[in-house]
Each structure stands twice: as structure tokens, then as C-alpha cells.
Amino acid sequence: MIALLWIVVFIVAFMALAYVRGSLVTTTIAIGVVLAICTLTSTNAPVAFVLWLLFLVVFGALNIPAVRKPYLTKPALRLFRQVLPTLSPTERTALDAGTVWWEGELFSGMPNWRRLEELPPAGLSTEEQAFLDGPVQTLLDMCDEWQITHEDADLPAEAWQYIKDNKFWGMIIPKRYGGLEFSAYAHSCVLAKVGSGPAGGTVGPIVAVPNSLGPAELLMHYGTDAQRDHYLPRLAVGEEIPCFGLTSPFAGSDAGAIPDRGVVCRGEWNGEDVLGMKLTWEKRYITLAPVATVLGLAFKMYDPDGLLGGETELGVTCALIPTDTPGCHTGRRHFPASAPFQNGPTWGTDVFVPLDHIIGGREMIGEGWRMLMECLSVGRSISLPSGSTGDAIANTRLTGAYAVTRRQFNISIGEFEGVQEALARIGGKTYACESVRRFTANAVDLGEKPSVASAIAKYHVTTLAQDVAKDAMDVHAGKAVMLGPSNPVARRFQAAPVNITVEGANILTRSMMIYGQGAIRCHPYVLDEIEAANNRDQDAALDAFDDLLYRHIGHDLAAAARSFVMGFTGGLGSSAGRAAKLAPYYRAMNRYSANLALISDVAMGTLGGTLKFRESLSGRLGDVLSNLYIASATLKRFVEDGEHADDLPLVAWVCEQAFAEIETALAGVLRHLPNRPAALIAGALIFPLGRTARVPSDGLGRRIARLVQTPGAARDRLTPRCYISQTKTDGALALFERAMQATLETAELHKTLVKARKSGEIDADHPRDQIDQAAAREILSAEQAQQLRAAFELQMSVIRVDDFAPEEMRSRAKQTAADPVNEA
């Protein structure tokens, strides 16, 4: 019995040391002390002798380098090299391009919440706020969605000119070159507001692309002084319109496999014989290509004749090509999901340009892939998450207002629980979108190049916004499918897939990028272990690997112990941030972070380099990391916003949904791990009491639905900087908001009307007639009747759908072709 007790004591002591991640020396001393006490209190000398022998063998070998390195570390290094994942040059470049930020803490198994809280909040300067309130508002006031999407298939000419005149394409360009030099957060806020406006799916890409991955950003980071001086001032004011050609029909997401080529040769340029290159390319999906004056181009460069004196295959290179260069073809257009922003193909065959067209000059030959990876992580952090967030924000306000305004069975449809479920998802997912948008853009301002975080933001915000658009369509129902000027949600729904597919299709982003990069970049030891294993100096490799290996083992033991203990306690007693209201969420995330650390090493340890080909497994592991990131951004936002109690239901919904998805993903990994013994052990450590997370409750959902339908500060915080026309009272959202307010203000009068109808005091069927009867019979005063009539007219304006004469259903182009008089 005493022996059993001491076994329990040893296990508890070892788990406690692992839980706090005690060092090898600390663990050795602590276990030695426990063993000494056991020996002094035990009468079983043989057992004590065996335990001491075991202790000396194990801990002696671990603590004596002369024994540990040749007999333990060296075989482990040999095994590690055998299972080491092979990294292609493009993968290696992608890994080296970004930085590790908060996602590294989430991967650690022990997030430092103080670090999260100490991150400075995102904010706007006076100049940036004025731009949002002035030029951005004015630009959106100029845009009529129906005219743009159905009639003109383009922005009005005055909108194009306004974009140029107000330097919308110069947000990232420094002021010394004539740009606005906005922060990444301000840039993100502009795109979010644009995304919330009319034809956001058209205006957004036109504004976003020149400020995202494209000539301006590449020039700022890598261009020569001459290139910057020439192009940046022109780009800032729209004198040059840029686009960037990366995607090839033969190599979409596999950009490293682009077949487009440049061959070094001599040729004539401006009447002179110069050293240059003949470019042959075929690109598609290129935003602004139909109207661009300068084309950024990614291609593989070759020097078959050795004119540069080096290798013949020089690698991916980026160059700037004026679109009026002979042989450069642009102008044709794609028609992306009924969002007619300028997007189209570009191609050229043997187009000759001098070598000084290479971004950065000759020194940057072959550096194109690195350049793109470093810039793409920044652009992906901002453009798509911001536009999608704006879209979700607008859909939230529109749908909340519609749910109040639209009545069925004498009550607003927002009173029905089925509609409330949709409104809860809309509100919760919109809160998550805005949280991630703000959090990730701020990372860029803090000097990060968050390659993993940007992939999380791109995938999840665009997906969440598409979910919001689907639910919005469902609530608006029949009105949502009748296209016309009165329909503010259908075009958003139609355009949502555009953001899903670009800058890396979402399937690829989830299954390969988030965890594919995150597992190596964010893990505290794996990347350094790979570096050590690849070191050709065997002694140096062994020394470095020896140090990393035992810290890695401690990391795994800590993850296992913390997973098991917190599986029982839910993280109770673990570290939390300063906001007491959020403590349960911090502690749950401590547990899931430990789970991620454990299951990652189980997966990598059992699958080795083949894990990157197990896309379903890596996708689920990425879901764990992503949902931890989303919840972190949500907690950070709540604190930055002032910890308003009214916002807590939104925080609870996002976190509870994230935790449920984390457990689903963990269970999926455990179910599909090929090594079943390892999966069973990991499962027992991760889910000692089974799965405990629950999706958000109906009661919580009703609170959010009420918030979405109630004008006030909480609803405004949920949907910040949402565009509402200040010049058009019949503009979609302005009209919906007025109708909602009128409906709420006349709610009691409407109840009086319903009661009178039921009691037989009035017998008219049509609402207008009911109001007239109630006024005539003095059930309502004249003023009350007029208030109800005004509310009814606003309600009808919102509910009304468009209809067209047959000739109006034809496109304007077809009408013009069919009518020579109009053409003349």
C-alpha cells in the first residue's frame, strides 16, 4: 500500500514539474528529493535500491553531456534526419519570408496573455479619420450599385477621377513621393468602409489592388532609387494605373511553377542596342489589367547564352512593363461573379524590354519569389479581410433593420426564433471578422510580416463573411433574390466567392498554408531543429540539436501534462488576462493551446515529412490554431473597446463557437491519425472527460439577435464605420435604418391597431384602411394615425421588390445594338 502511495506521489510530482515546464536540473533535484524522502520513510530496501538505480541511470545519462550526446542525442539526430520533411526552394523561401507573431504564443502551449494585453491598440490619426469621413464617404456617395453592376459594368468616370484626385491609390506610398502614407490599420479601415458601401465588390478591388501586392509595394521595398522616383509619384496620383500579373492558367496556386519566361538577349530599345530580355507570358484574373498603364510581371528568367556570366536558370523575377510596349496585350475583361471591377487577362510573346525594367535592377534577378512572399503576407493581412469585413458589417445592419421592419403574423420577423438563429450567427461572425481584421492589420503596423496570421485572416474572414451573406439572403428571403435597385444584399452574396478564391484559394489556404507554414514557423523548436540537422558541420549540428532536443522533450511533456490536468479543470487556476470577465475564455484557451502543442508533435512525430501531404489532417490542425487566433483577437478587441457589458454576448458567442470547432478539429485529427496507439494516448490526455465544449446556446443567440435589431451604441460598435449615405435618404441602408426606427417608434400604436382588429372595432384588411378606420373611430388620434401611415410607407419602401418591362431586361449593350437611333 505504501509502495502504491509513493508511485502516486512520483507521478504527481513528475506531472507537476512537467506542467510548469521545469528544467532538467530542477526536475532532477525535485525527483531526487522525493526519492530521498521515500527511502527514509520506506522499509522496503530492495524497492528503494531499484528506484535509486533507475534514477541514477536515467537522470545521470540525461545530465552528463559526455554520455547524453553520443548515446542519446546522436541516434535521435539520425532518426530526425530520416523523417525530416523535405522543403522545396519555394517552400523554404515562404518560410523565411514572414515573421512569427502572436500565433507563436498560441503554438507554445503556454500563451503569455500579458504580451497580448501589452500590444498597443490600433488607432487612426486625425488625417486618416478625416479621409474616412470625407473622401471615402464622398466616393461611395457617387456609386449607384445597380447602375454599376447591371448597366455600365464599371464605375462612373467621375468616380475614377475622384479616386485619382484624392490619392486612393497612394495610401501606402510615402508622403515624400506624394502619397498619403497611411498606417496599415487606416488602409484596412478604408477598405472595410468601401466594402460596406454600394457596389463594394466592385469599388473595393479597384481601391485595394494598387495598395496591396503590386508595383507600389514592391518598388518601396526593392526598387532602385530611379524606379521609385519615376513611378511612385505617378502611382500616387493615378497618372499610372498599376496591375500585377502572377496567376497563370497552368499554375494558379502553384505560383512557383509559372511557365511565363524571360530570356536574356540583346535588342533594340529607343533606337539603341541594349541588354535586355524577351518576355513571353499568359496571365489571367489580373485586377486592373484592362485599364492598367504599367504591368508588374512575375516570370522565370533564363540566360541560355551566358550573357550575364552566370547560371542559365536564374529563377523567378519581377519586372515592370509599360502596357503600351509593343506586343503587350491588355484590355479584355473577365466578369467576376457579377462584380464588374476591371479584371482581365494579359499576354505577350517575345516582348523585349531592357534589364532595368526588373524591379530592383539586376541585383534582384531571381529574387522574385522572395519579394512576392514577403509582400503577399502584408497584402493578404489587409485587402481581403478588410473588404469582407465591410461586407459583413453592411449585411448585419441591413438584416437587423429588415428583421424589425418586415412583419408576418402581426409581429416583426425578428421575433421568430428561426430568424433569431440566423441573426445570432450574423452578429457573432461579424464581430469575429472585425476583431480579426483589426488585430491583423495592427500587426503590420507593429512591424510584423505575419505570413501565418495573414493566411488565417484571409481564409476565415472571407469564409465568415460569406456565411453572413448566406444568412442575410435567408432572412431577406424572396426580396433577396429579386435583383434590382431595391435589393441591397444579393450582389454582396454574388460577389462573396471572389474573395474566397483569390490570393490563394481558400481550400489551399486552409489545407496547406495555415498549418503547413504554422507547424514549422510557429513551433518553438522545429525550425531550429531543421536548421541544426541540415548543418554540414557534424559537431556543431550535434551540439545545437542536443540543446534543442531536450527543451523540445520538456515542451512535449508540459503539453501532455497541461492537456491532461486542464482536461479535468477546464484550465481553472491557469494564467489569465487582467479582465476578470474574460478569465474563463483565457483559461479554456490555455487548455486548447496545450492540446495543439501536444497533438502537433504527435502528428509530426508519427507522420514525419508525410504530414504536409495529409491535407485533411493539416487542415484540421490549422483549424485549431485559427480558432485560437480568432478568439484571441476577440478578447483583445473587447478590452480595447472599453469592456462594455453589452458586448459580452458577442464575445461569448465567438469564443464558444471557436472552442466547439477546436474540439471538433481535435477529435477529427485523433480519429484519422494512422498511428492508433499514439492517437489513443493523445486522446486520453486531450479529452480525459470527453468533449466538453458546447456551441452557443439559444438564449445567447436571442441576446445577440436583439442587439442586432436594436439601434444604439452596441450595434454601432458591432458595425463600426459602416457606410450610410448622407446625401440620399433613399439609399439602401439609410432607408432601412429609417424604416427600422419608425417601426420601433410605432410598435405600441401597431399593437393598438392589432387589438382593435381582433376585437372587431375595425374590420378593414389592408393596413392603410385599418389606420384610416382607427382614426375615423378615434381609436387613434390624427397625429398617431399619421405616424403609422409614415411608418407603413417606409416599411413598404423596404419590402418592395423591383419589376421591369421586358425591354428593360436586356442589357444596355444589347439595347444599343438593336436601336440604331440610340447608337447614333
Side-chain angles (χ1 to χ4, degrees):
M1 188 65 182
I2 294 177
L4 181 62
L5 177 63
W6 278 110
I7 290 173
V8 172
V9 170
F10 273 111
I11 292 173
V12 170
F14 187 77
M15 287 193 67
L17 289 163
Y19 188 95
V20 299
R21 203 173 292 178
S23 67
L24 178 59
V25 172
T26 301
T27 301
T28 302
I29 293 171
I31 295 298
V33 170
V34 172
L35 186 56
I37 296 172
C38 174
T39 303
L40 293 174
T41 58
S42 173
T43 57
N44 195 329
V47 172
F49 175 78
V50 171
L51 289 175
W52 275 109
L53 183 62
L54 184 63
F55 171 79
L56 292 172
V57 169
V58 172
F59 285 94
L62 290 173
N63 281 280
I64 301 172
V67 176
R68 182 181 69 231
K69 286 184 180 181
Y71 297 108
L72 297 177
T73 306
K74 195 170 184 178
L77 176 58
R78 191 180 306 119
L79 178 62
F80 184 79
R81 283 172 169 156
Q82 291 174 358
V83 300
L84 185 68
T86 56
L87 297 177
S88 68
T90 54
E91 288 176 314
R92 179 79 246 190
T93 300
L95 285 173
D96 291 340
T99 58
V100 178
W101 188 53
W102 177 250
E103 62 273 24
E105 288 285 347
L106 298 174
F107 222 103
S108 71
M110 297 179 67
N112 181 354
W113 299 115
R114 290 299 170 87
R115 181 186 174 194
L116 179 69
E117 291 179 330
E118 289 168 0
L119 292 173
L124 296 170
S125 69
T126 302
E127 179 185 4
E128 291 165 345
Q129 185 63 58
F131 189 81
L132 279 163
D133 296 338
V136 176
Q137 182 75 23
T138 301
L139 172 63
L140 297 177
D141 284 342
M142 299 168 76
C143 297
D144 182 303
E145 182 167 48
W146 181 251
Q147 181 178 342
I148 290 170
T149 59
H150 183 72
E151 298 178 359
D152 296 342
D154 198 2
L155 299 189
E158 59 268 25
W160 279 102
Q161 192 59 48
Y162 192 82
I163 287 171
K164 296 176 182 180
D165 291 344
N166 288 273
K167 302 184 179 180
F168 276 82
W169 293 336
M171 284 190 284
I172 67 170
I173 295 176
K175 290 183 178 180
R176 67 180 181 275
Y177 295 110
L180 297 175
E181 200 172 344
F182 281 175
S183 66
Y185 178 63
H187 172 195
S188 174
C189 288
V190 169
L191 295 182
K193 183 166 182 175
V194 168
S196 74
T202 301
V203 186
I206 290 171
V207 173
V209 166
N211 293 288
S212 180
L213 174 63
E217 186 167 14
L218 291 169
L219 285 168
M220 285 162 53
H221 287 91
Y222 311 105
T224 65
D225 289 340
Q227 288 171 340
R228 293 192 191 102
D229 291 341
H230 176 78
Y231 278 112
L232 291 180
R234 292 169 169 80
L235 291 169
V237 298
E239 185 177 332
E240 297 276 11
I241 302 177
C243 69
F244 193 86
L246 175 61
T247 303
S248 162
F250 311 103
S253 295
D254 184 11
I258 53 176
D260 313 289
R261 57 194 288 122
V263 179
V264 180
C265 61
R266 300 199 70 85
E268 185 176 325
W269 186 261
N270 294 333
E272 296 182 13
D273 181 69
V274 299
L275 186 62
M277 52 193 170
K278 284 186 177 179
L279 298 168
T280 298
W281 74 90
E282 182 182 359
K283 305 288 189 179
R284 62 179 178 179
Y285 309 153
I286 311 306
T287 298
L288 292 182
V291 295
T293 62
V294 59
L295 164 67
L297 190 67
F299 56 92
K300 286 184 175 175
M301 194 161 176
Y302 300 89
D303 184 14
D305 298 326
L307 297 178
L308 298 180
E311 299 179 357
T312 58
E313 296 186 11
L314 305 179
V316 176
T317 302
C318 296
L320 293 178
I321 316 299
T323 57
D324 60 1
T325 302
C328 177
H329 296 281
T330 58
R332 295 189 64 82
R333 294 181 62 181
H334 300 310
F335 192 24
S338 294
F341 58 92
Q342 292 285 344
N343 184 281
T346 174
W347 68 96
T349 303
D350 291 338
V351 177
F352 180 81
V353 294
L355 290 182
D356 62 10
H357 282 50
I358 295 170
I359 298 175
R362 295 191 189 188
E363 291 182 4
M364 298 307 291
I365 291 175
E367 296 295 321
W369 185 244
R370 176 177 65 85
M371 294 159 60
L372 293 172
M373 288 300 98
E374 289 179 350
C375 290
L376 188 61
S377 66
V378 175
R380 191 187 283 121
S381 299
I382 297 171
S383 299
L384 296 175
S386 303
S388 292
T389 296
D391 190 63
I393 282 171
N395 271 326
T396 298
R397 289 193 79 105
L398 285 163
T399 308
Y402 188 78
V404 171
T405 304
R406 182 74 168 103
R407 292 182 181 273
Q408 293 279 273
F409 307 105
N410 288 318
I411 60 173
S412 295
I413 62 171
E415 295 296 318
F416 296 112
E417 288 193 358
V419 174
Q420 289 174 349
E421 287 183 20
L423 291 173
R425 291 192 297 268
I426 287 171
K429 291 179 180 181
T430 297
Y431 194 84
C433 287
E434 170 65 13
S435 300
V436 172
R437 177 198 74 81
R438 182 193 302 184
F439 191 52
T440 312
N442 195 32
V444 177
D445 282 328
L446 295 175
E448 302 292 340
K449 293 182 178 178
S451 56
V452 177
S454 66
I456 292 171
K458 189 271 174 181
Y459 170 72
H460 286 278
V461 173
T462 58
T463 299
L464 290 168
Q466 188 178 44
D467 292 344
V468 169
K470 290 177 184 176
D471 275 324
M473 289 288 289
D474 204 9
V475 174
H476 289 255
K479 179 179 174 65
V481 298
M482 299 302 168
L483 290 178
S486 300
N487 184 341
V489 296
R491 291 296 189 188
R492 296 182 182 280
F493 175 76
Q494 289 178 312
V498 174
N499 289 346
I500 296 292
T501 60
V502 297
E503 289 192 17
N506 269 10
I507 290 175
L508 166 82
T509 304
R510 174 182 177 267
S511 62
M512 295 178 66
M513 293 181 63
I514 293 175
Y515 192 78
Q517 292 187 19
I520 296 177
R521 285 205 58 80
C522 300
H523 194 288
Y525 303 109
V526 166
L527 187 58
D528 290 337
E529 288 171 337
I530 291 174
E531 296 285 358
N534 287 328
N535 192 335
R536 295 184 180 182
D537 184 331
Q538 297 302 313
D539 291 336
L542 184 62
D543 288 341
F545 192 78
D546 180 72
D547 177 59
L548 292 165
L549 175 64
Y550 298 101
R551 286 194 283 151
H552 191 158
I553 291 172
H555 165 79
D556 286 344
L557 291 174
R562 291 173 68 82
S563 291
F564 186 70
V565 172
M566 288 191 283
F568 285 101
T569 67
L572 191 65
S574 61
S575 64
R578 295 188 183 96
K581 300 172 186 176
L582 304 180
Y585 307 121
Y586 285 119
R587 288 168 180 156
M589 291 170 69
N590 288 333
R591 174 194 174 188
Y592 296 128
S593 175
N595 294 163
L596 175 62
L598 174 63
I599 197 65
S600 291
D601 276 359
V602 170
M604 287 189 284
T606 58
L607 290 170
T610 65
L611 177 58
K612 72 176 182 179
F613 302 110
R614 302 273 187 151
E615 294 172 22
S616 295
L617 279 177
S618 63
R620 293 184 181 100
L621 290 164
D623 289 344
V624 179
L625 177 61
S626 296
N627 280 287
L628 284 168
Y629 185 86
I630 292 168
S632 297
T634 298
L635 301 184
K636 177 68 171 169
R637 175 189 178 182
F638 176 77
V639 173
E640 287 184 359
D641 280 351
E643 302 183 34
H644 298 280
D646 290 343
D647 297 347
L648 274 174
L650 293 162
V651 175
W653 194 97
V654 174
C655 289
E656 289 177 16
Q657 185 68 26
F659 299 160
E661 292 185 14
I662 285 171
E663 292 202 3
T664 297
L666 289 169
V669 174
L670 292 167
R671 180 181 178 185
H672 293 94
L673 271 177
N675 189 316
R676 299 315 301 156
L680 290 172
I681 294 170
L685 294 170
I686 290 172
F687 294 128
L689 298 178
R691 291 170 61 177
T692 57
R694 299 290 182 267
V695 296
S697 68
D698 292 344
L700 180 59
R702 285 192 288 272
R703 293 170 65 189
I704 294 175
R706 202 155 43 243
L707 184 154
V708 170
Q709 298 177 84
T710 305
R715 187 167 180 262
D716 291 342
R717 284 192 300 274
L718 173 61
T719 57
R721 288 175 289 277
C722 185
Y723 167 77
I724 302 177
S725 176
Q726 304 299 315
T727 60
K728 306 173 187 175
T729 57
D730 61 342
L733 185 50
L735 176 64
F736 275 52
E737 295 277 304
R738 288 171 57 218
M740 174 179 66
Q741 193 66 46
T743 301
L744 293 171
E745 290 172 354
T746 58
E748 292 303 317
L749 295 178
H750 185 264
K751 289 179 182 178
T752 299
L753 207 61
V754 171
K755 185 178 179 181
R757 181 76 171 77
K758 287 182 177 179
S759 68
E761 294 178 83
I762 57 175
D763 56 12
D765 292 320
H766 197 283
R768 289 194 189 93
D769 297 335
Q770 290 176 5
I771 296 170
D772 292 341
Q773 275 190 358
R777 297 173 186 180
E778 298 185 345
I779 298 170
L780 295 173
S781 69
E783 183 182 351
Q784 290 173 330
Q786 185 54 38
Q787 193 177 1
L788 272 175
R789 289 189 190 99
F792 178 73
E793 291 306 318
L794 282 169
Q795 291 161 359
M796 288 305 298
S797 296
V798 166
I799 295 167
R800 188 177 295 117
V801 298
D802 300 289
D803 52 74
F804 306 92
E807 59 271 19
E808 291 181 286
M809 298 295 288
R810 294 182 296 169
S811 71
R812 176 170 290 185
K814 210 171 238 188
Q815 291 182 48
T816 302
D819 187 350
V821 175
N822 286 342
E823 187 174 11

